[in-house]
Amino acid sequence: MAPGESWVAVASVTALPEGDMVGVNVGDRLIALYNVAGRIYATDNVCSHAFALLSDGWLDGSEIECPLHAGRFDVTTGKGLGPPIPSDIRTYPTRIVGDRIEIDLAE
Ligand code: FES
C-alpha cells in the first residue's frame, strides 16, 4: 500500500451487478457503491441536503436520485446536479482485488 492510502474491503463483486448499487457501513461511515457500466464507484451514502440514504434512491446511468426530495448527484464525481442539493458529496477511489471491492478511505 502506498503512503497515504487506506484501502478497505467493503463488499463482494458479486453483490453489485451492473446498474445496481448497495449501501455499506465502514466503521461509522455510510458508503454507497455503484456499478456503472461495469465500473465501480463509491460515494458517501448520506445526501448533502438532509438525512436520506442515496442507496435507497434510483440509479440512472451515472446519476443517483435521492429518495427524499429527488436531488441528483453524479456518482462518478460526487457533483450535485442542482437544487435542492447544497453541496457535492465525497467520492472514494475504488479497486477490485480478487472478488472483493476495496475503497480508499484516506483523507
Ligand atoms: S435529502 Fe436528498 S434531496 Fe433532500
Side-chain angles (χ1 to χ4, degrees):
M1 192 178 306
E5 293 183 356
S6 182
W7 292 95
V8 178
V10 291
S12 163
V13 171
T14 56
L16 193 57
E18 191 168 323
D20 211 348
M21 61 187 161
V22 66
V24 296
N25 294 357
V26 184
D28 59 358
R29 292 192 215 205
L30 305 179
I31 308 283
L33 304 172
Y34 315 86
N35 184 331
V36 179
R39 286 203 58 179
I40 306 299
Y41 297 91
T43 71
D44 278 335
N45 198 8
V46 177
C47 186
S48 61
H49 179 233
F51 188 87
L53 295 180
L54 298 175
S55 58
D56 290 337
W58 297 272
L59 183 63
D60 180 12
S62 62
E63 292 184 14
I64 182 70
E65 181 177 316
C66 178
L68 201 51
H69 308 110
R72 297 172 77 88
F73 298 90
D74 183 330
V75 305
T76 69
T77 62
K79 189 154 188 52
L81 300 176
I85 300 303
S87 59
D88 300 342
I89 51 173
R90 181 176 171 185
T91 60
Y92 301 86
T94 68
R95 69 183 183 187
I96 293 175
V97 178
D99 67 346
R100 306 293 294 172
I101 297 168
E102 295 186 355
I103 66 172
D104 183 2
L105 292 174
E107 296 297 332

